[in-house]
Amino acid sequence: MKRFLTLSMMPVIICLCCISLYGQQKKQHPKKPNIIMLISDDTGWGDLGVYGGGVGRGMPTPNLDRMAKEGMQFWSFYGQASCTPGRAAMITGRIPNRSGMTTVAFQGQGGGLPAPEWTLASVLKQANYKTYFCGKWHLGEADYAMPIAHGFDKMQNVVLYHLNAYTYAFPSWNPDMTPDMLAFFKKVTTGILEGEAGGKVREISKVTEDNIAELDMNMTNNVLKQLDDYAKGGSPFFMCVNFAKNHQPNLPSKQFAGKSPGKSKYADCVVEMDYNVGRVMDEIRKLGIDKNTIVIYTVDNGAWQDVHPDAGYTPFRGSKGTDREGGNRVPAIAWWPGQIEAGSDSHDIVGGLDLMATFASLAGITLPTKDRDGKPMVFDSYDMSNILFKEGPALRDRWYYFTETELSPGAVRVGKFKAVFNTRGDNGAQAGSDAPGQQLGWRGDESYVATVPAVYDLWQDPQERYDLFMNSFTEKTWTLPIFNKAVQDLMKTYIQYPPRPLQSEVYTGEMEINKFRTIQEAKKLMEQKGITLPKLEGEK
């Protein structure tokens, strides 16, 4: 009888065990955690110690290494090909084409992130988060494009451009400028900004030769003060902290100048950046909010090899500004004690785009289906929670790569295979060259393959050296329909959700006289027939 009861209970026992295991897989996590993003500029995939750099390259990164050992390190994490699109993608959860933020903005161009776009901050405000932005913005100059117009309660130590833009107005850097040229740059270059939501942005000082090297140190001082205030308040908060370094020219703080083992300005700045990351992480621990705070560290784009030696290192092919892995694959670390397994790794395809869906999920928010003007829109973001907590498979299986003018992607990754259509900047900077030819890097021509792409197996060949498409031994011609379908899936979304107009200036290719005349003749014929084309959004 006892044996019969035992046997009869087996299905129940097995069921309870399964429920128990499932419960372990899908364990409850603290709701509405504090969220902190730490973003550095142009830092190379191979600069940090945990990515093979650090001490071995004369730039120790003990704080970021510790963060990785206490959290999760990503190996196939993607930014975009350059600064502005990389930051726009992270903050909107949309590929840059959709927001029009595809090109690097310079001072005096105005414009910026369109007012109807949702941002991480404006979405998290729906869950009553306190929101804070500091450091490099690089998403425009207009009032409607400022952080405090996009959901941030407060902005401090904000700089609007890439670091070298400020040196244009330094006579010692550009003595060949005429007085008129110098006056122009001084006039159009906005300095260090601060402000609060509902108020006006204030310029608290210019970026000068005396203070440019201290931008990140001063910013971090204010971040620590803000952390202290938030810790006392009890409400969940979101902080987006953006270091101006390691963008060329790297100008280390006086505290770090000449102090790195590498004795280069770039190495000094990597050590400085790591030190400031450590200050933030130590403050989180000291305040006792670590168990309810997730921290993400990443970079906007791949290493800018064109400006070597004042640049980060990547083992991958290509440079910033290209569709190669070197221009897009970036370091990334996620940290949340007690929730993210210490010392864990992820080789899943993820990227800065996915922070939007992930943060919304952590905050218990459903992403909007309409923009802030009430028009239908779509996000390109996938929730990474399954990966962070090891609770299931990744939701993303592909990545699209773009240069400034590409509406259809110049390269596509699906699983371990990558198709490359645009071979711009194919070789990157040549070793030992102080002035690599412009065709070798970001400034190179857009150069497209004929008929079919080059295809690479990124597991076997992460450097994209061996095209397998029509190799006699391992030909992968069967991949073409897969890639074509992936591109078609994306292109269909442009019909339903048209991209916004470009938000900054860019060279869009030559205009030949015959092409111009043909366009003019076409316009005349259309006018004669009474045909009027609808205007694009934002077009006057």
Side-chain angles (χ1 to χ4, degrees), residues 266-286:
Y266 185 86
D268 292 346
C269 286
V270 169
V271 172
E272 177 189 339
M273 184 270 292
D274 179 78
Y275 170 76
N276 283 322
V277 168
R279 293 170 70 196
V280 174
M281 299 301 290
D282 286 345
E283 193 69 13
I284 293 169
R285 296 182 186 100
K286 186 183 85 172

Side-chain angles (χ1 to χ4, degrees), residues 232-300:
K232 297 170 186 173
S235 298
F237 61 84
F238 167 56
M239 301 181 75
C240 188
V241 179
N242 299 262
F243 301 104
K245 300 163 188 178
N246 302 102
H247 196 288
Q248 175 271 347
N250 279 278
L251 303 169
S253 163
K254 60 186 178 183
Q255 183 176 335
F256 291 91
K259 300 295 176 62
S260 70
K263 302 300 179 187
S264 71
K265 290 183 177 181
Y266 185 86
D268 292 346
C269 286
V270 169
V271 172
E272 177 189 339
M273 184 270 292
D274 179 78
Y275 170 76
N276 283 322
V277 168
R279 293 170 70 196
V280 174
M281 299 301 290
D282 286 345
E283 193 69 13
I284 293 169
R285 296 182 186 100
K286 186 183 85 172
L287 292 169
I289 58 174
D290 50 320
K291 296 297 188 293
N292 197 40
T293 300
I294 180 171
V295 183
I296 303 284
Y297 164 80
T298 191
V299 183
D300 49 359

Side-chain angles (χ1 to χ4, degrees), residues 148-169:
I148 55 173
H150 278 283
F152 288 98
D153 299 324
K154 183 177 181 180
M155 54 183 266
Q156 281 187 304
N157 301 92
V158 172
V159 290
L160 298 184
Y161 323 110
H162 43 291
L163 202 57
N164 60 334
Y166 295 100
T167 66
Y168 302 160

Side-chain angles (χ1 to χ4, degrees), residues 98 485-498:
R98 301 199 193 278
K485 177 65 165 56
V487 174
Q488 288 169 8
D489 290 345
L490 174 66
M491 299 305 288
K492 286 177 184 176
T493 68
Y494 293 144
I495 298 171
Q496 188 174 0
Y497 309 101

Side-chain angles (χ1 to χ4, degrees), residues 10 82 203 249 346 359 452:
M10 282 303 292
S82 59
E203 183 180 70
S346 170
F359 292 170
V452 296

